[in-house]
Amino acid sequence: MHIMEGFLPSPWWQIWFLISAPFLIYGMYELRRIYEERRETLPLLAVAGAFIFVLSSLKLPSVTGSCSHPTGTGLGAIIFGPFITSVLGLIVLIYQALFLAHGGLTTLGANVFSMGIAGPLLAYGIYRAGTKAGINTFVVVFLAAALADLFTYIITSLQLALAFPAEAGGIMTSFLAFGTVFAITQIPLAIIEGLIIALIFKYIIAVRPDLLVRLDVLSQAAVTRIREALA
């Protein structure tokens, strides 16, 4: 979904910077709070950021001027929330634009919004709603991660459609065309990403469940119940 450098015309690349800015500012505030109050979780935060970097670097070219790849943002969104994950996404996207020619600086605002904000917001919402409804934790984590991946590409398709509406049919026709191209590769990738993140979540519960409790991701009772079921 990284829209390449120079692909978005004015005023769209500027608009996405403006839309992304409030999320990033609040994310930096939340990140500082984590640093000051829960420093023991910083290694896990680093793992979440590295996970986003590795998965989102595995790009498959598309004909839309963008590309397809897993996003990895679901894990960070579930554990640290969508705002901190937006900052992780920003750091990853800047590094990829400068050193890997993956994405671009003028398209950074659009790429941050689709991968670092929209996807994580959906993942966080699905996880919180699913756990509140009593759905199996690993099923909820899978759904949150997989649908966040797909939602990222839906937003990217919308961003491209807004910038390049079709002469016949306008934005909706263009949106369906971009979305169809992405869907071919993204649906299987999203399923794989959901399974991988569910397995990583299971591993975290096995080795450091106390961090998930301190971050209010799971209650101690839920951790005990899950570990007894897995024993």
Side-chain angles (χ1 to χ4, degrees), residues 18-106:
L18 293 174
I19 293 174
S20 298
F23 295 92
L24 293 168
I25 292 170
Y26 188 71
M28 290 176 186
Y29 165 76
E30 286 278 282
L31 193 58
R32 181 176 178 178
R33 200 160 62 88
I34 286 281
Y35 178 79
E36 293 176 344
E37 299 176 5
R38 297 172 180 171
R39 299 189 67 169
E40 71 279 9
T41 65
L42 294 182
L44 185 57
L45 180 67
V47 169
F51 189 68
I52 294 172
F53 176 77
V54 171
L55 263 67
S56 61
S57 295
L58 303 174
K59 60 179 180 180
L60 301 173
S62 81
V63 298
T64 60
S66 182
C67 57
S68 291
H69 53 75
T71 65
T73 57
L75 182 65
I78 290 169
I79 297 176
F80 293 100
F83 297 102
I84 288 178
T85 305
S86 72
V87 179
L88 296 179
L90 173 67
I91 295 170
V92 166
L93 288 165
I94 289 175
Y95 188 92
Q96 290 173 336
L98 291 176
F99 299 105
L100 302 180
H102 189 19
L105 293 180
T106 62

Side-chain angles (χ1 to χ4, degrees), residues 9 14 30 53 71 78-79 85 97 129-130 135 141 143 154 168 172 174 185 195 211:
Q14 297 98 325
E30 286 278 282
F53 176 77
T71 65
I78 290 169
I79 297 176
T85 305
I135 300 173
V141 170
L143 290 175
I154 290 173
M172 182 53 69
S174 185
T185 52
L195 291 172
L211 296 182

Side-chain angles (χ1 to χ4, degrees), residues 154-223:
I154 290 173
I155 295 300
T156 301
S157 298
L158 178 62
Q159 290 171 326
L160 293 170
L162 288 169
F164 303 102
E167 291 186 7
I171 293 172
M172 182 53 69
T173 298
S174 185
F175 171 71
L176 292 175
F178 284 124
T180 301
V181 171
F182 282 132
I184 295 171
T185 52
Q186 206 55 39
I187 291 176
L189 284 178
I191 294 171
I192 293 171
E193 181 173 340
L195 291 172
I196 291 173
I197 289 181
L199 288 173
I200 292 174
F201 199 79
K202 179 181 177 182
Y203 179 75
I204 296 171
I205 291 176
V207 298
R208 291 302 305 269
D210 56 306
L211 296 182
L212 299 179
V213 174
R214 290 177 192 176
L215 290 167
D216 197 30
V217 179
L218 288 172
S219 66
Q220 184 57 55
V223 168

